Amino acid sequence: MNRVLVAGIGNVFLGDDGFGVEVVRRMDPSAVPGSVVVADYGIRGVHLAYELLGGAYDTLIMVDAVELDGPPGTVAVLEIDDEPAPDALPPVNGHGMHPQAVLDLLGKLGGGVPRVLLVGCRPQVVDEVMGLSEPVAAAVESTVAAVTALARDETYRQSDRERADA
């Protein structure tokens, strides 16, 4: 079984930026295999990079508010290349690291994750306010179900190498 980390990312004090945190908060850990860890990383991007540094996970699923095409509340799953941007110096600001900055820092530290997925939701409000906007809040339950299924699928997914060896 693959080891999967589901990481909720975001700042609950900035409205819809707290989307990822709310999704992982509502996930039922008993609904996923034991090799899946569900964690709220909130604004602790540096901690997430260090957690990944040890190579303990085969797949990282980040859940966050991201700018996507479509109206607020639109959700998409994106596969992310975890290679650091050339010559990029990621901001080491624990309170402001977005998903790519976490991956850039991880790469600069010499680590990586074989597979990285981002489950993103287009925000409506990213301002100093508590709580999610109506369209983003409406997307939470279906995203919980989708991330749970994705984590389960990733646990049993064969890597390209395993398929070639079979």
Side-chain angles (χ1 to χ4, degrees):
M1 281 201 291
N2 290 322
R3 298 155 302 169
V4 177
L5 174 59
V6 177
I9 299 171
N11 187 336
V12 297
F13 297 110
L14 293 177
D16 292 340
D17 194 52
F19 173 77
V21 171
E22 185 64 20
V23 168
V24 298
R25 187 184 72 74
R26 292 194 194 182
M27 285 183 69
D28 178 2
S30 69
V32 293
S35 64
V36 175
V37 173
V38 177
D40 168 6
Y41 279 90
I43 58 172
R44 299 181 330 264
V46 173
H47 291 104
L48 176 55
Y50 277 105
E51 173 70 22
L52 297 168
L53 191 56
Y57 299 99
D58 302 297
T59 302
L60 168 63
I61 301 171
M62 295 185 283
V63 186
D64 196 10
V66 296
E67 287 301 321
L68 299 169
D69 290 335
T74 299
V75 176
V77 178
L78 309 167
E79 188 164 0
I80 304 296
D81 178 3
D82 76 336
E83 291 296 316
D87 300 323
L89 292 174
V92 184
N93 170 358
H95 297 286
M97 291 186 69
H98 53 79
Q100 190 60 53
V102 170
L103 296 174
D104 289 347
L105 176 60
L106 177 62
K108 295 291 184 187
L109 294 171
V113 181
R115 184 163 162 84
V116 179
L117 302 171
L118 173 62
V119 178
C121 179
R122 181 179 177 111
Q124 180 175 42
V125 176
V126 180
D127 202 357
E128 292 182 13
V129 61
M130 292 288 293
L132 302 175
S133 67
E134 190 175 313
V136 171
V140 170
E141 285 306 316
S142 61
T143 304
V144 168
V147 171
T148 300
L150 185 60
R152 237 184 273 127
D153 291 348
E154 285 298 313
T155 300
Y156 298 109
R157 184 184 65 81
Q158 278 190 320
S159 68
D160 293 336
R161 176 179 281 165
E162 288 171 335
R163 278 191 286 269
D165 291 343

